[in-house]
Amino acid sequence: MYQTKAYSAGSATTPLASTTITRRDPTDHDVQIEILFCGICHSDLHQVRNEWKEVMPTVYPCVPGHEIVGRVTRIGGAVTRFQPGDLAAVGCMVDSDRTCPACKAGLEQFCPNMTLTYNFPDKHLHGVTYGGYSDSIVVDENFVLHVPANLDLAGAAPLLCAGITTYSPMKHWCVTKGRKVGVVGLGGLGHMGVKFAHAFGAHVVVFTTSPKKKDDALRLGADEVVVSRNADEMKKHVGTFDFILDAVAADHDINAYIQLLGRDGNITLVGAPEKPLSVAAFGLIFNRRSLSGSPIGGIPETQEMLDFCGAHNITADVEVIPIQKVNEAYERLAKADVKYRFSIDMASLKSE
Ligand SMILES: NC(=O)c1ccc[n+]([C@@H]2O[C@H](COP(=O)([O-])OP(=O)(O)OC[C@H]3O[C@@H](n4cnc5c(N)ncnc54)[C@H](OP(=O)(O)O)[C@@H]3O)[C@@H](O)[C@H]2O)c1
Ligand SMILES: [Zn+2]
Ligand SMILES: [Zn+2]
């Protein structure tokens, strides 16, 4: 075991602060990574503030962070896929049982024994797992991804959650050329959704509550932008969408979007607001519409997404911050004020 620097939250109401945590020494199949950048996901904020207490209560101290890129510093004796010096990335999962049908299908996100990167029982050290707001992390090589060399690392970090969480449902629901696709909420996930839907050739419409994001939405790849608080603008699109991705982090009226779907249209929730959403049955019944959800993505698909981003030079639009600004960043994230993902430069942790 060894000690490494980190930032943690001590409770739902205290700011994150500098601390030291224990990591395991790499076992035979482990890769040790020096973390260079870690994105700030709205899930970090939900988790730190214990907003998901019904489903995933937070264990304190909590070290968030599941959008990790870095460089390999040490490998275990049996590691074959990485060498010291390689770029490496870790997303929302660090382990699973590898034996269940989901794991065998490369869909580890559905494994009943999957281990999330933070706030999950740690099989090695007991206690809970600690995430990427830290100097280094040790992860089984099967949960470590390769980062295409051409990608900017600060902008690549958010691909590990915001990227895969939007890429995966769009693949599943066949977002391709000729489809009309909506993206609701232009935040970290939403802006990646726009980039992917555009890259897949769809006609992309962004729904935003922030009129000032309109120009950015068009620059990011949207064909149209609708300010969702404007009922007339919404009405024009009733019954026309094949697929809508809902990436909103707060309470909102999902029925307004269900109405916009055409026959057999689907709306997929990736946003995970604290409170339950209410759904009007007839919105779904008419037009045989469907509502579903989607969690992150499996390891093979995450690598596929990273390779796709490498081939198309896609990264997140980031505001790079030192770790000392993390609490300020959380305040801004809560107000939907980020362009469009914070990425923490972990070199800043060395001075703590
Ligand atoms: N399913 C998964 O596996 C998964 C993975 C990662 C994250 N998530 C969840 O996805 C959600 C989004 O995460 P994120 O990191 O993209 O968050 P984010 O950067 O804060 O973006 C959320 C966006 O939602 C919109 N929004 C915020 N408050 C709103 C309100 N009151 N009414 C309507 N729209 C509002 C804003 O867009 P506009 O300004 O454009 O309206 C905001 O930028 C979070 O709940 C997060 O926990 C789920
Ligand atoms: Zn996330
Ligand atoms: Zn499994």
Side-chain angles (χ1 to χ4, degrees), residues 42 45 49 51 249-250 327-338 342:
H42 205 112
L45 180 65
R49 296 189 176 171
E51 289 172 356
N327 294 301
E328 205 178 294
Y330 273 33
E331 292 307 320
R332 286 186 49 201
L333 194 57
K335 292 186 287 192
D337 172 28
V338 50
F342 290 110

mmCIF file of all heavy atoms in Angstrom, residues 42 45 49 51 249-250 327-338 342:
data_model
loop_
_atom_site.group_PDB
_atom_site.id
_atom_site.type_symbol
_atom_site.label_atom_id
_atom_site.label_comp_id
_atom_site.label_asym_id
_atom_site.label_seq_id
_atom_site.Cartn_x
_atom_site.Cartn_y
_atom_site.Cartn_z
ATOM 1 N N HIS A 42 -21.502 15.957 -13.480
ATOM 2 C CA HIS A 42 -22.548 16.370 -12.542
ATOM 3 C C HIS A 42 -22.840 15.244 -11.534
ATOM 4 O O HIS A 42 -23.299 15.500 -10.418
ATOM 5 C CB HIS A 42 -23.822 16.783 -13.292
ATOM 6 C CG HIS A 42 -24.676 17.741 -12.528
ATOM 7 N ND1 HIS A 42 -24.868 19.052 -12.900
ATOM 8 C CD2 HIS A 42 -25.369 17.581 -11.364
ATOM 9 C CE1 HIS A 42 -25.647 19.651 -12.009
ATOM 10 N NE2 HIS A 42 -25.963 18.781 -11.074
ATOM 11 N N LEU A 45 -21.117 15.863 -8.359
ATOM 12 C CA LEU A 45 -21.841 16.826 -7.516
ATOM 13 C C LEU A 45 -23.028 16.154 -6.805
ATOM 14 O O LEU A 45 -23.212 16.311 -5.591
ATOM 15 C CB LEU A 45 -22.310 17.974 -8.408
ATOM 16 C CG LEU A 45 -23.099 19.114 -7.799
ATOM 17 C CD1 LEU A 45 -22.246 19.884 -6.810
ATOM 18 C CD2 LEU A 45 -23.550 20.080 -8.903
ATOM 19 N N ARG A 49 -22.986 15.657 -2.687
ATOM 20 C CA ARG A 49 -24.056 16.274 -1.896
ATOM 21 C C ARG A 49 -25.110 15.256 -1.447
ATOM 22 O O ARG A 49 -26.169 15.632 -0.953
ATOM 23 C CB ARG A 49 -24.690 17.413 -2.705
ATOM 24 C CG ARG A 49 -23.663 18.509 -2.965
ATOM 25 C CD ARG A 49 -24.234 19.749 -3.564
ATOM 26 N NE ARG A 49 -23.182 20.775 -3.682
ATOM 27 C CZ ARG A 49 -23.324 21.919 -4.321
ATOM 28 N NH1 ARG A 49 -24.460 22.200 -4.916
ATOM 29 N NH2 ARG A 49 -22.335 22.791 -4.374
ATOM 30 N N GLU A 51 -27.233 13.523 -3.052
ATOM 31 C CA GLU A 51 -28.550 13.708 -3.676
ATOM 32 C C GLU A 51 -29.142 12.386 -4.172
ATOM 33 O O GLU A 51 -30.297 12.333 -4.542
ATOM 34 C CB GLU A 51 -28.421 14.706 -4.847
ATOM 35 C CG GLU A 51 -28.177 16.131 -4.361
ATOM 36 C CD GLU A 51 -27.858 17.118 -5.472
ATOM 37 O OE1 GLU A 51 -27.751 16.715 -6.649
ATOM 38 O OE2 GLU A 51 -27.676 18.303 -5.158
ATOM 39 N N ALA A 249 -29.967 17.499 -15.549
ATOM 40 C CA ALA A 249 -29.567 17.075 -14.204
ATOM 41 C C ALA A 249 -30.589 17.442 -13.129
ATOM 42 O O ALA A 249 -30.427 17.061 -11.970
ATOM 43 C CB ALA A 249 -28.218 17.714 -13.867
ATOM 44 N N ALA A 250 -31.646 18.184 -13.503
ATOM 45 C CA ALA A 250 -32.588 18.684 -12.497
ATOM 46 C C ALA A 250 -34.025 18.326 -12.891
ATOM 47 O O ALA A 250 -34.276 17.837 -14.003
ATOM 48 C CB ALA A 250 -32.445 20.195 -12.371
ATOM 49 N N ASN A 327 -14.376 23.679 -5.733
ATOM 50 C CA ASN A 327 -15.641 24.048 -5.076
ATOM 51 C C ASN A 327 -16.372 25.144 -5.845
ATOM 52 O O ASN A 327 -17.610 25.114 -5.951
ATOM 53 C CB ASN A 327 -15.382 24.453 -3.624
ATOM 54 C CG ASN A 327 -14.882 23.271 -2.808
ATOM 55 O OD1 ASN A 327 -15.565 22.254 -2.711
ATOM 56 N ND2 ASN A 327 -13.688 23.390 -2.250
ATOM 57 N N GLU A 328 -15.600 26.075 -6.387
ATOM 58 C CA GLU A 328 -16.169 27.118 -7.249
ATOM 59 C C GLU A 328 -16.804 26.475 -8.495
ATOM 60 O O GLU A 328 -17.902 26.851 -8.928
ATOM 61 C CB GLU A 328 -15.012 28.021 -7.672
ATOM 62 C CG GLU A 328 -15.345 29.423 -8.052
ATOM 63 C CD GLU A 328 -14.052 30.160 -8.402
ATOM 64 O OE1 GLU A 328 -13.211 30.366 -7.490
ATOM 65 O OE2 GLU A 328 -13.873 30.487 -9.578
ATOM 66 N N ALA A 329 -16.107 25.495 -9.058
ATOM 67 C CA ALA A 329 -16.622 24.802 -10.249
ATOM 68 C C ALA A 329 -17.949 24.105 -9.926
ATOM 69 O O ALA A 329 -18.890 24.120 -10.731
ATOM 70 C CB ALA A 329 -15.602 23.791 -10.750
ATOM 71 N N TYR A 330 -18.060 23.506 -8.739
ATOM 72 C CA TYR A 330 -19.303 22.834 -8.345
ATOM 73 C C TYR A 330 -20.463 23.839 -8.293
ATOM 74 O O TYR A 330 -21.570 23.538 -8.707
ATOM 75 C CB TYR A 330 -19.143 22.148 -6.984
ATOM 76 C CG TYR A 330 -18.579 20.740 -7.057
ATOM 77 C CD1 TYR A 330 -17.666 20.378 -8.038
ATOM 78 C CD2 TYR A 330 -18.969 19.764 -6.138
ATOM 79 C CE1 TYR A 330 -17.152 19.099 -8.108
ATOM 80 C CE2 TYR A 330 -18.459 18.477 -6.196
ATOM 81 C CZ TYR A 330 -17.550 18.145 -7.184
ATOM 82 O OH TYR A 330 -17.051 16.873 -7.236
ATOM 83 N N GLU A 331 -20.179 25.024 -7.749
ATOM 84 C CA GLU A 331 -21.224 26.058 -7.666
ATOM 85 C C GLU A 331 -21.710 26.429 -9.055
ATOM 86 O O GLU A 331 -22.911 26.580 -9.300
ATOM 87 C CB GLU A 331 -20.697 27.310 -6.947
ATOM 88 C CG GLU A 331 -20.411 27.129 -5.460
ATOM 89 C CD GLU A 331 -21.596 26.546 -4.699
ATOM 90 O OE1 GLU A 331 -22.739 26.945 -4.994
ATOM 91 O OE2 GLU A 331 -21.375 25.673 -3.838
ATOM 92 N N ARG A 332 -20.751 26.577 -9.982
ATOM 93 C CA ARG A 332 -21.124 26.945 -11.352
ATOM 94 C C ARG A 332 -21.869 25.798 -12.040
ATOM 95 O O ARG A 332 -22.834 26.030 -12.774
ATOM 96 C CB ARG A 332 -19.877 27.346 -12.143
ATOM 97 C CG ARG A 332 -19.349 28.731 -11.740
ATOM 98 C CD ARG A 332 -18.207 29.172 -12.621
ATOM 99 N NE ARG A 332 -18.507 29.025 -14.038
ATOM 100 C CZ ARG A 332 -17.576 28.941 -15.001
ATOM 101 N NH1 ARG A 332 -16.303 29.005 -14.696
ATOM 102 N NH2 ARG A 332 -17.929 28.812 -16.259
ATOM 103 N N LEU A 333 -21.454 24.574 -11.797
ATOM 104 C CA LEU A 333 -22.116 23.405 -12.406
ATOM 105 C C LEU A 333 -23.577 23.334 -11.962
ATOM 106 O O LEU A 333 -24.472 23.043 -12.755
ATOM 107 C CB LEU A 333 -21.365 22.139 -11.985
ATOM 108 C CG LEU A 333 -21.646 20.855 -12.737
ATOM 109 C CD1 LEU A 333 -21.385 21.009 -14.232
ATOM 110 C CD2 LEU A 333 -20.782 19.723 -12.182
ATOM 111 N N ALA A 334 -23.800 23.630 -10.694
ATOM 112 C CA ALA A 334 -25.170 23.598 -10.161
ATOM 113 C C ALA A 334 -26.062 24.624 -10.855
ATOM 114 O O ALA A 334 -27.280 24.463 -10.907
ATOM 115 C CB ALA A 334 -25.141 23.855 -8.653
ATOM 116 N N LYS A 335 -25.431 25.666 -11.427
ATOM 117 C CA LYS A 335 -26.202 26.715 -12.119
ATOM 118 C C LYS A 335 -26.161 26.541 -13.640
ATOM 119 O O LYS A 335 -26.452 27.491 -14.369
ATOM 120 C CB LYS A 335 -25.627 28.099 -11.751
ATOM 121 C CG LYS A 335 -25.857 28.475 -10.286
ATOM 122 C CD LYS A 335 -25.417 29.896 -9.997
ATOM 123 C CE LYS A 335 -23.913 29.992 -9.978
ATOM 124 N NZ LYS A 335 -23.352 31.227 -9.454
ATOM 125 N N ALA A 336 -25.775 25.374 -14.119
ATOM 126 C CA ALA A 336 -25.677 25.091 -15.569
ATOM 127 C C ALA A 336 -24.741 26.086 -16.253
ATOM 128 O O ALA A 336 -24.946 26.457 -17.403
ATOM 129 C CB ALA A 336 -27.064 25.092 -16.229
ATOM 130 N N ASP A 337 -23.698 26.504 -15.552
ATOM 131 C CA ASP A 337 -22.775 27.502 -16.070
ATOM 132 C C ASP A 337 -21.395 26.887 -16.268
ATOM 133 O O ASP A 337 -20.480 27.122 -15.481
ATOM 134 C CB ASP A 337 -22.721 28.686 -15.079
ATOM 135 C CG ASP A 337 -21.637 29.694 -15.430
ATOM 136 O OD1 ASP A 337 -21.303 29.815 -16.622
ATOM 137 O OD2 ASP A 337 -21.124 30.356 -14.496
ATOM 138 N N VAL A 338 -21.252 26.082 -17.318
ATOM 139 C CA VAL A 338 -19.925 25.554 -17.663
ATOM 140 C C VAL A 338 -19.864 25.358 -19.170
ATOM 141 O O VAL A 338 -20.847 24.959 -19.795
ATOM 142 C CB VAL A 338 -19.615 24.238 -16.919
ATOM 143 C CG1 VAL A 338 -20.733 23.235 -17.053
ATOM 144 C CG2 VAL A 338 -18.300 23.626 -17.394
ATOM 145 N N PHE A 342 -15.781 20.973 -16.929
ATOM 146 C CA PHE A 342 -14.553 21.316 -16.207
ATOM 147 C C PHE A 342 -13.614 20.111 -16.268
ATOM 148 O O PHE A 342 -14.049 18.971 -16.076
ATOM 149 C CB PHE A 342 -14.849 21.651 -14.746
ATOM 150 C CG PHE A 342 -15.593 22.947 -14.549
ATOM 151 C CD1 PHE A 342 -16.906 22.945 -14.116
ATOM 152 C CD2 PHE A 342 -14.968 24.159 -14.805
ATOM 153 C CE1 PHE A 342 -17.604 24.135 -13.939
ATOM 154 C CE2 PHE A 342 -15.653 25.362 -14.629
ATOM 155 C CZ PHE A 342 -16.976 25.345 -14.196
#
